[in-house]
Amino acid sequence: MKAARIHAYGDATEIRIEDAPLPALNDDDVLIRVVATSVNPVDWKIRKGYLRSFIPYDMPLIMGWDVSGVVEKTGPAVTRFKPGDAVYSRPDIRRNGAYAEYIAVRESEIAFKPATISHVEAASLPLVSITAWESLFTTANLTAGQRVLIHAGAGGVGSIAIQLAKAKGAHVSATASASKAGLVKSLGADEVIDYRAQDFSTVARDMDVVFDTVGGEVQEKSWSVLKPGGMLVSITDRPSEDRAKAEGKRAGFVFIDPNAAILTELAAMVDAGQVRPLIGAEYGLDAAAKAQEASETGRATGKIVIYVGQP
Ligand SMILES: NC(=O)c1ccc[n+]([C@@H]2O[C@H](COP(=O)([O-])OP(=O)(O)OC[C@H]3O[C@@H](n4cnc5c(N)ncnc54)[C@H](OP(=O)(O)O)[C@@H]3O)[C@@H](O)[C@H]2O)c1
């Protein structure tokens, strides 16, 4: 099969488009014919070797841990899916990814794709949606009427987080650069803070939850906009428990695993019109290196999707 693989850690020139063996199936695996995958910052972070002490990858490695496609074949222990089913997944990051014509994914990590959107749109959703869901709901317990500040509202995670928080009935503030303010409002944000023109910490206040998707100074400044007892939940740098305690606030950190239950609930929300994918750019598999370079700029709008093959 055709795949985009790396044979060593390094820059995007390490990505080779080449022939790779079809994935071998374990008993509980589903072989998915990939229609589309999407780029997440973790892809190029892994390519650069940032996660090597945490996950010891064998080379060559296929990146891309979002997939939407069609079931080609199932292992003997698989019960929920059959050939021809349209599915989507955020598969196990410890195995080969989806920048390829086929991927083997555990049945437990797969959900039926939302029926009302294309595979390209569906491929943009799993990783960022599980991340936003676990951060806002599982960790921060965001409820209707609460106030949440979402950093990088125009990014992959932020664009879905805004929609999930709105669907929950929260009051949503989001940071974005001025040119993206209209887009962020259209996703449901009640207030957009132009983080380049203004220091968000002088504008936002009394937040029940801050969702930190940026880290560093942004996280440092986020403590001051929380109300007493509020929670700072991050997916970048682990917030200090000592600082949280000293300020009478709470700290949360999320690093996601596959979660098919969330994807099943999300599919229902998408089909009900409550959540819509936001795709900023689409590339072919041959341009996987360019797609990762676009993500690496840190300026992406919504998701960068890689189209692999016909549904
Ligand atoms: N822990 C986990 O499980 C997990 C899961 C998913 C993602 N992550 C991490 O979360 C981070 C965000 O991921 P992502 O997919 O959302 O990234 P992304 O799509 O690449 O984010 C790009 C967006 O960030 C905005 N941005 C950059 N700096 C900003 C700032 N200082 N304030 C506000 N907005 C800013 C940019 O807006 P402008 O162009 O307007 O500047 C752009 O729209 C990454 O570091 C990723 O690795 C972690």
Side-chain angles (χ1 to χ4, degrees), residues 79-94:
T79 58
R80 284 191 303 133
F81 301 104
K82 60 177 189 321
D85 286 344
V87 294
Y88 75 147
S89 175
R90 185 287 200 177
D92 186 351
I93 209 160
R94 288 163 185 79

Side-chain angles (χ1 to χ4, degrees), residues 5 58 63 95 125-126 225 232 239:
R5 304 198 292 187
D58 289 333
M63 292 160 290
R95 301 177 76 182
L125 291 172
V225 310
L232 174 53

Side-chain angles (χ1 to χ4, degrees), residues 40-42 45 127-128 131 152 154-158 175-177 180 195-196 213-214 218 235-236 254-256 295 298-302:
N40 292 285
V42 75
K45 289 179 185 180
L127 190 147
V128 293
T131 305
V157 176
T175 58
S177 54
K180 298 179 180 177
Y195 75 92
R196 291 172 191 238
T213 62
V214 179
V218 167
I235 55 170
T236 53
V254 167
F255 191 88
I256 64 153
S295 169
R299 300 272 88 90
T301 301

Side-chain angles (χ1 to χ4, degrees), residues 31-105:
L31 185 68
I32 300 173
R33 183 161 46 79
V34 180
V35 178
T37 178
S38 81
V39 179
N40 292 285
V42 75
D43 299 4
W44 51 261
K45 289 179 185 180
I46 286 172
R47 188 195 76 223
K48 289 178 152 185
Y50 295 170
L51 274 71
R52 68 205 299 178
S53 58
F54 178 53
I55 310 174
Y57 285 105
D58 289 333
M59 296 286 167
L61 173 69
I62 303 172
M63 292 160 290
W65 290 277
D66 266 327
V67 59
S68 185
V70 179
V71 173
E72 178 79 11
K73 193 174 161 189
T74 56
V78 171
T79 58
R80 284 191 303 133
F81 301 104
K82 60 177 189 321
D85 286 344
V87 294
Y88 75 147
S89 175
R90 185 287 200 177
D92 186 351
I93 209 160
R94 288 163 185 79
R95 301 177 76 182
N96 273 317
Y99 290 9
E101 288 176 314
Y102 294 91
I103 181 175
V105 183

Side-chain angles (χ1 to χ4, degrees), residues 72-266:
E72 178 79 11
K73 193 174 161 189
T74 56
V78 171
T79 58
R80 284 191 303 133
F81 301 104
K82 60 177 189 321
D85 286 344
V87 294
Y88 75 147
S89 175
R90 185 287 200 177
D92 186 351
I93 209 160
R94 288 163 185 79
R95 301 177 76 182
N96 273 317
Y99 290 9
E101 288 176 314
Y102 294 91
I103 181 175
V105 183
R106 269 176 224 109
E107 176 182 27
S108 60
E109 297 166 357
I110 300 171
F112 289 102
K113 163 190 164 291
T116 54
I117 59 174
S118 67
H119 282 284
V120 164
E121 291 172 308
S124 75
L125 291 172
L127 190 147
V128 293
S129 302
I130 294 169
T131 305
W133 190 295
E134 290 196 349
S135 300
L136 295 175
F137 304 148
T138 316
T139 304
N141 284 313
L142 184 72
T143 53
Q146 286 192 321
R147 291 165 57 78
V148 59
L149 171 64
I150 295 168
H151 284 296
V157 176
S159 58
I160 296 297
I162 290 170
Q163 298 181 71
L164 291 178
K166 262 330 263 188
K168 182 63 92 175
H171 180 279
V172 179
S173 301
T175 58
S177 54
S179 63
K180 298 179 180 177
L183 176 68
V184 169
K185 279 231 153 142
S186 77
L187 297 171
D190 298 289
E191 177 191 30
V192 182
I193 302 168
D194 174 3
Y195 75 92
R196 291 172 191 238
Q198 288 168 297
D199 178 344
F200 74 87
S201 64
T202 64
V203 182
R205 63 192 152 77
D206 294 332
M207 294 293 158
D208 295 285
V209 175
V210 176
F211 184 21
D212 169 32
T213 62
V214 179
E217 193 190 358
V218 167
Q219 182 178 112
E220 281 304 303
K221 286 185 166 179
S222 289
W223 290 107
S224 69
V225 310
L226 281 167
K227 60 168 66 154
M231 174 174 270
L232 174 53
V233 58
S234 181
I235 55 170
T236 53
D237 305 327
R238 189 180 287 276
S240 158
E241 288 288 349
D242 290 344
R243 174 122 187 225
K245 214 173 270 177
E247 297 209 13
K249 293 165 184 169
R250 293 171 302 134
F253 180 73
V254 167
F255 191 88
I256 64 153
D257 283 318
N259 193 319
I262 289 176
L263 294 184
T264 298
E265 283 198 61
L266 182 83

